[in-house]
Amino acid sequence: MKQLDQSFIIGVFGLIGLFIGLFVKNIMVWTFVGIAVGYVVTFWIPFGFHILKSNIN
């Protein structure tokens, strides 16, 4: 995954968290939650698949 794609995914999750925060009245908390979820989806899930694939071979 290219860096631009990773930044876009993290930004989308951050915006989703921001919009949730607007409705829940905890903008900062939900924005950071959205960024954290984007980070996990972008970096840790592909890394986990890579580790599993290398352990199987």
Side-chain angles (χ1 to χ4, degrees):
M1 190 178 299
K2 294 182 181 178
Q3 187 174 3
L4 180 63
D5 296 335
Q6 293 171 343
S7 298
F8 180 75
I9 291 170
I10 291 173
V12 167
F13 276 102
L15 285 174
I16 290 170
L18 178 69
F19 289 131
I20 291 172
L22 286 172
F23 290 114
V24 182
K25 306 288 190 238
N26 286 329
I27 295 172
M28 190 168 138
V29 172
W30 281 100
T31 301
F32 283 127
V33 167
I35 292 170
V37 169
Y39 179 74
V40 168
V41 168
T42 304
F43 294 105
W44 286 107
I45 292 176
F47 179 72
F49 283 135
H50 174 72
I51 293 296
L52 286 174
K53 189 183 278 187
S54 66
N55 286 342
I56 291 172
N57 292 335

